[in-house]
């Protein structure tokens, strides 16, 4: 394949072999330079906010079902960024920088047309295995999202299978204005394909759910080339009352990286109405200039490493990466010696998430025990 630079072919072959004989945490494997991304995994939660208008619209809808439709539209709207953005910006999926414990990514999207400002806080809450906690808040629209993201990876049939560990909870004012509605969001499985060619890309598979405390369930089935639709990046979603899951109120299908539409009726009444067009612009998150960032902010931490990768000065990149990793090892040793373990800055660890258990129990089929990370109350 021509995606692998000639001088790195051997290295790529060896890397693939090491993936094949490896199980668990791929983030710690050393990869050939052409596949390295200058972006840390702590930045990835920003994909949840790249359509701030759809995020704010999660609080709208004349009733609970219509609100669920809006939440599903925001969720589907994030998929193109989450799973294809690196291909678009860098030519293929790339190996992100492996965040250090306590690494932060802080950003926002401005208020435009009255939609309100959205604020993002992302924190690396575990280094091994890597787990990122995140929170997105639009105070004006009263929409919040809180979640964490980890991965369990395995290798089979030439591709990497990634089971996402973690969930998110979206919180909005209820459609009737009398309380709060919670939406539990589970995440799809992903497969990293195209590895032998050195041009990896993601395909989604399996099923994910959005379960609402108002009693509705969105079920999203993903498929790619060679599955039921035969088309890449396909999905079929249904929205049902939790009690009668067999009879969906709405069905939606299409390409999560392209266009999708209702199959049959839609809340607006029309038949086969448009649902979402993923060609609409994603709004990149705004972050402070590096010079103004705190020492633990991601782009500050990785400034030199990222610079090295971007300018193909890989020796400099790897030297700086080693420096960071050594510092981290020393820090952990010191903490252990002093008996002062690392403290999370923005989040609190919850061993057994009751919100998850309650929402999952409404719909069955989920494990009852899940950890979570709650955003600490903010001091104004
Ligand atoms: C949460 C997302 C996640 C993170 C990434 C699997 C992956 C790390 C996790 C799941 C986001 O909401 C969505 C998108 C992309 C996912 C990454 C893709 C990827 O390849 C990496 C893994 C750890 C690798 O870097 C594998 C090795 C590499 C050579 C393949 C390009």
């Amino acid at each position: 394949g021509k995606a692998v630079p000639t001088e790195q072919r051997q290295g790529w072959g060896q890397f693939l072999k090491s993936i094949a004989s490896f199980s668990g945490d791929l983030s710690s494997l050393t990869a050939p330079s052409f596949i390295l991304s200058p972006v840390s995994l702590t930045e990835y939660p920003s994909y949840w906010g790249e359509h701030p208008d759809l995020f704010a619209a999660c609080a709208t809808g004349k009733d609970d079902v219509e609100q669920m439709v809006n939440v599903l539209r925001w969720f589907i709207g994030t998929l193109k960024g989450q799973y294809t953005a690196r291909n678009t910006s860098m030519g293929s999926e790339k190996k992100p920088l492996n965040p250090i414990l306590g690494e932060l990514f802080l950003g926002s999207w401005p208020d435009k047309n009255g939609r309100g400002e959205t604020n993002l806080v992302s924190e690396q809450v575990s280094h091994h295995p890597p787990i990122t906690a995140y929170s997105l808040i639009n105070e004006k629209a009263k929409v919040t999202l809180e979640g964490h993201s980890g991965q369990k990876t395995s290798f089979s049939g030439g591709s990497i299978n990634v089971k996402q560990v973690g969930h998110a909870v979206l919180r909005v004012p209820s459609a009737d204005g009398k309380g709060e509605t919670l939406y539990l969001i589970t995440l799809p499985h992903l497969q990293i394909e195209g590895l032998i060619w050195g041009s990896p890309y993601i395909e989604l598979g399996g099923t994910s759910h959005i379960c609402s405390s108002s009693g509705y369930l969105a079920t999203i089935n993903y498929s790619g080339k060679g599955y039921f639709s035969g088309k890449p990046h396909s999905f079929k979603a249904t929205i049902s009352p939790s009690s009668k899951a067999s009879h969906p109120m709405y069905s939606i299908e299409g390409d999560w990286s392209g266009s999708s539409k209702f199959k049959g009726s839609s809340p607006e009444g029309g038949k086969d109405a448009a649902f979402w067009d993923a060609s609409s612009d994603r709004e990149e998150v705004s972050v402070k200039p590096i010079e103004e960032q705190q020492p633990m902010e991601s782009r500050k931490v990785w400034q030199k490493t990222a610079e090295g990768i971007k300018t193909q000065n890989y020796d400099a990149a790897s030297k700086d990466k080693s420096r960071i990793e050594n510092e981290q090892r020393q820090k952990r040793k010191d903490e252990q010696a002093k008996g002062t373990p690392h403290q999370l800055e923005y989040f609190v660890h919850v061993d057994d998430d009751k919100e998850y258990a309650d929402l999952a129990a409404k719909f069955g089929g989920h494990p009852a025990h899940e950890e979570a990370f709650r955003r600490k109350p903010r001091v104004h």
Side-chain angles (χ1 to χ4, degrees), residues 58-315:
C58 288
T60 66
K62 65 176 183 303
D63 53 29
D64 294 334
V65 201
E66 207 175 292
Q67 190 178 67
M68 171 60 105
V69 171
N70 292 333
V71 171
L72 179 64
R73 183 176 290 111
W74 156 74
F75 173 81
I76 296 293
T78 71
L79 299 180
K80 185 183 179 191
Q82 309 255 22
Y83 303 111
T84 73
R86 280 79 53 202
N87 296 72
T88 311
S89 64
M90 301 185 277
S92 83
E93 190 60 55
K94 301 264 172 172
K95 189 174 188 291
L97 294 168
N98 189 18
I100 62 171
L101 183 60
E103 187 176 318
L104 301 172
F105 186 69
L106 312 174
S108 65
W109 292 265
D111 186 1
K112 266 188 206 167
N113 312 320
R115 70 185 183 195
E117 181 183 83
T118 309
N119 278 288
L120 165 72
V121 169
S122 161
E123 178 173 352
Q124 196 66 16
V125 292
S126 168
H127 173 69
H128 189 78
I131 302 174
T132 311
Y134 53 88
S135 130
L136 283 88
I137 303 180
N138 180 332
E139 274 184 15
K140 188 176 180 203
K142 298 194 172 68
V143 181
T144 72
L145 177 75
E146 218 172 56
H148 69 283
S149 162
Q151 299 86 39
K152 279 214 167 91
T153 53
S154 62
F155 188 82
S156 83
S159 43
I160 299 172
N161 297 309
V162 183
K163 182 185 181 298
Q164 296 204 64
V165 178
H167 63 273
V169 173
L170 181 90
R171 213 179 275 272
V172 297
S174 300
D176 65 8
K178 287 182 186 152
E180 211 182 35
T181 300
L182 269 55
Y183 291 84
L184 168 66
I185 297 161
T186 67
L187 304 160
H189 288 227
L190 47 112
Q191 261 199 8
I192 304 170
E193 292 168 10
L195 285 167
I196 19 164
W197 308 116
S199 49
Y201 64 92
I202 288 174
E203 188 53 277
L204 298 180
T207 305
S208 77
H209 292 101
I210 305 177
C211 314
S212 79
S213 61
S214 59
Y216 292 91
L217 175 68
T219 305
I220 308 136
N221 288 305
Y222 305 86
S223 66
K225 247 191 305 208
Y227 287 77
F228 59 77
S229 83
K231 284 188 206 126
H233 300 346
S234 300
F235 78 96
K236 289 185 180 184
T238 57
I239 292 175
S240 319
S242 55
S243 49
K244 289 188 278 181
S246 56
H247 188 71
M249 305 174 73
Y250 297 114
S251 297
I252 294 132
E253 59 179 63
D255 174 346
W256 50 259
S257 64
S259 66
S260 48
K261 54 186 187 180
F262 288 92
K263 215 182 156 210
S265 66
S266 65
E268 290 76 33
K271 238 185 140 283
D272 297 344
F275 179 68
W276 172 242
D277 178 1
S279 68
S280 65
D281 284 345
R282 291 189 282 118
E283 285 182 46
E284 240 181 78
V285 66
S286 301
V287 297
K288 273 188 185 163
I290 295 186
E291 311 78 65
E292 290 170 30
Q293 289 186 10
Q294 311 168 35
M296 286 306 279
E297 283 186 75
S298 183
R299 292 185 189 178
K300 186 94 175 177
V301 171
W302 296 108
Q303 184 169 19
K304 276 196 179 155
T305 313
E307 197 56 40
I309 293 171
K310 283 186 201 156
T311 58
Q312 305 192 341
N313 197 342
Y314 297 116
D315 284 341

Side-chain angles (χ1 to χ4, degrees), residues 8 12 15 31-37 92-96 198-200 314:
Q8 291 189 45
W12 184 242
F15 178 67
S33 50
F34 80 92
I35 208 75
L36 301 178
S37 155
S92 83
E93 190 60 55
K94 301 264 172 172
K95 189 174 188 291
S199 49
Y314 297 116

Side-chain angles (χ1 to χ4, degrees), residues 333-378:
K333 273 189 198 157
D334 295 348
E335 286 167 355
Q336 190 131 55
K338 283 194 209 140
T340 54
H342 172 83
Q343 302 285 310
L344 302 185
E345 186 162 349
Y346 286 95
F347 294 88
V348 181
H349 181 241
V350 179
D351 180 52
D352 190 355
D353 186 10
K354 196 173 147 19
E355 281 176 359
Y356 177 88
D358 288 351
L359 285 163
K362 260 189 136 92
F363 304 93
H366 294 278
H369 183 101
E370 270 261 316
E371 65 173 340
F373 295 86
R374 282 277 127 67
R375 177 80 184 268
K376 282 184 187 166
R378 277 154 304 145

